[in-house]
Amino acid sequence: MDDKDIIDLYFSRDEKALEHTAKKYDSYCYAIAHRILGSEEDAKECVNDVLLAAWETIPPNRPEKLSLYLGKITKNISVNKLRTINAKKRGADYVRVCIDELSEIVPSENDPTILLESEELAQAIERGLRSVSATNRRIFISRYYYLESIGEIASRLCMNENQVKLRLHRTRAKLRKMLRKEGLTDE
Amino acid sequence: MNKRESAKRIYTALESIDTELLYDARAYHAPKIKPYLRYAVAAVIALALLTSALILISAKTVTDYVTIDTNYGATLELNRDRRIVKAKAASSMYHHTAQACTNLKYQEAAAQLIDKMGERGGLSKTANTILIGAPDNSADVADELLESLDATEYCVMRVDIKNESAAEKLANKRHITKGKAALLLDLNNEKNNIDENRLFRLSANDIALLLQSKRITSDAITVSGTPLDGGYLSKEAVIQIAQKAAKLTPDKIVCELDSDGFKLIYNVMLYAGDKGAAYIIGAATGEIQWEFHGAANALRGELNKTHEQYGTASENTPPYQTTPNPVISNPDTTIISADAPTQIPATGFVAPTEKQPARSTEKSEPTTADPTTSPIAVPTEPSKKDAPTEADELPFVPLPPEPQTTPAVQPDAPSDDSYMTAHGIHDNSIQAHDTPIDGDWVFTAHRVVTDYYERNPYAILITNRDQLLRYWEDYPDMKANSFYQNRYLSDGWFDDHALLYATNTEYYDLTYHIHWYAVRNNSGHLFVAWYDSRELYDLSSEKPFDYPNSVTCGIELNANLSNIKTMWLTKLT
């Protein structure tokens, strides 16, 4: 069955849509999820969540390419899930440590107000991350989004821990400089 | 909002960034490199760095050297790859040529140098000899070079540099290559009895001719090919000159090529019974430079005595003085130059007579050309009628362009004193010696001649070789001109060459075989020409003029640089 017919089934609210989607894209979504989550069980659970999300969002959405649509949903769910898993696993103290590290990006001790709204702030940070090297960006996101430990990041990127720390420090400094330059802080 | 809360906002904002970035950050796994592979890579990198360093060091390390000489010499220092680490010219004339040889393969560099020497007259239709010198450990390099040169028309002399320290000492002393120094040292033994002073100024071709004539052989010297003798008179012609002068019918004739330290000469001894005559005759000019008439058994002794007296002269003492020599006390001895009439020698130099006043105040009018129409006199064939008169104050007249095939006996140049007097040389603290040699003027070392015209601030003569002496201290305009000062001093021009230039006169003098001369035009611009005038260099730009090969410099200069007022010249050794 081609994607158009499957989407038509979604629109007619026919549950066979899920059956055909799973049959066609199960392994695809699983691969994506497993790449992020690194766990078979979590990945399978993620694929189920993907099918559910597809059922809930089609309609109203009518994706032109179903594979891309499902891939995006899988990535969203996987990254959120991993973050949640890691936060739970590491505990509040660990999150606090990461937030303390992030406070380096906020330069001012006195009333360090970040003037932008959350969405604008996210865009600014994204711009900043795109301006650093791919490796530094991966390290930064792994650390502060996925809450991975320095050791885990070093192992995955084949570096030693000092190199990871150094790169994190440089990226934070660069983001701080960039935020100051763009006037996002009151300094 | 405190700092921590701001950080929390950033932490939260990360949730809103592009999923692709989030996915990429987590999905990327760096390729795993096993530890031993890392060490291997590190080792390879270290090895590569080490190798590069060794290559760089070895590229700069001199392992061999060869010397090449024609009229001039250069030393090529090679690395293990037989590339030139450094090329040093014995003469600063080739300084830039030698520098350009750096990093070239040595055969290529040698060919380039030899070509350049050819361009400058070191190799020509009358001189074809190249002297190659190399120490034992560079013998294979020299052999390869010889092999390539053997295929040419050159005559190649090879000398083994055996005693390097002695050769180096002599080379430094004489501003020659170690190869030539080794050759001189090898010949300076009891058997040959030719010391360095007799040979070090000679070209490789002249030395080869001399060795051939004297049948001198040595284990350290090998010769392949035949040196050219086209620049010199034949023995038959010289004997004829001697016979004509002696006016006797000899029953035995001895004629041998020799050197007086500057040039090749012939020793001719004519025996007629118990009487005889001995002559020293310039091999190129046929000029009788010394003669002796007396007992036959005294000829050789007198000849040797003369050679001992002058042949071993240092560069401060010209051979065969043109004034009567007090050392030779034999009443039968005649010093030709003492009674020489005022004639035009091959140099074009007009020997001053007692009647000729020293140039001191007034700039005189030319006699050979009208300065208003032709500031430079066109060279003409010299003759007696061109000789100066009382009214003719000018010390120089143009040269004959080519040596005569049947050379006439030439008068000698004036003595130093008369020369200095005639030219207003006022620096009495330093001697000036100018000796015409084979049609050239040679300024030997340690001389400063100042003020061609005493009141002319531009007329300067600069000495050469060992050191520069007081050359422009009396001339504020030159002293102030750092360009000239730096140029002359920093480039070591005075190491090997005398340089003379003069302006504001209407006459000039030229020889065909000049090595260096300088000219200066009315606007104060300085030009330098070298050797046989194939190139004229503008000192201020260092770019050669488009200057075609010329038969004589004077004609070409007249045609091309009509605003040049005058020019002096000298041959420099």
Side-chain angles (χ1 to χ4, degrees), chain A residues 27-46:
Chain A
S27 57
Y28 169 68
C29 294
Y30 175 83
I32 293 173
H34 189 268
R35 193 161 181 81
I36 295 173
L37 295 164
S39 150
E40 190 181 336
E41 191 183 339
D42 291 341
K44 279 181 181 172
E45 192 179 320
C46 179

Side-chain angles (χ1 to χ4, degrees), chain B residues 465-484:
Chain B
R465 202 169 282 283
D466 290 342
Q467 64 186 87
L468 180 66
L469 298 174
R470 301 176 59 185
Y471 61 102
W472 62 59
E473 62 185 18
D474 295 331
Y475 305 102
D477 57 327
M478 292 299 293
K479 197 173 181 181
N481 192 328
S482 60
F483 169 76
Y484 294 124

Side-chain angles (χ1 to χ4, degrees), chain A residues 1-21 55 58-59 62:
Chain A
M1 184 174 278
D2 62 18
D3 288 354
K4 188 174 175 303
D5 296 334
I6 295 173
I7 290 170
D8 286 343
L9 288 175
Y10 275 106
F11 269 83
S12 61
R13 308 311 291 165
D14 185 340
E15 289 186 3
K16 280 184 182 172
L18 295 174
E19 192 181 321
H20 287 295
T21 304
W55 180 257
I58 307 173
R62 180 179 279 274

Side-chain angles (χ1 to χ4, degrees), chain A residues 28-95:
Chain A
Y28 169 68
C29 294
Y30 175 83
I32 293 173
H34 189 268
R35 193 161 181 81
I36 295 173
L37 295 164
S39 150
E40 190 181 336
E41 191 183 339
D42 291 341
K44 279 181 181 172
E45 192 179 320
C46 179
V47 172
N48 287 335
D49 292 345
V50 169
L51 291 175
L52 184 60
W55 180 257
E56 287 174 353
T57 55
I58 307 173
N61 297 334
R62 180 179 279 274
E64 286 184 11
K65 287 202 75 165
L66 187 59
S67 61
L68 290 182
Y69 187 75
L70 292 173
K72 189 156 188 174
I73 293 174
T74 310
K75 285 175 187 173
N76 274 333
I77 291 173
S78 302
V79 296
N80 287 333
K81 194 173 189 71
L82 181 63
R83 193 181 202 207
T84 309
I85 290 168
N86 280 348
K88 197 182 285 180
K89 187 166 75 183
R90 313 265 182 224
D93 286 347
Y94 188 84
V95 175

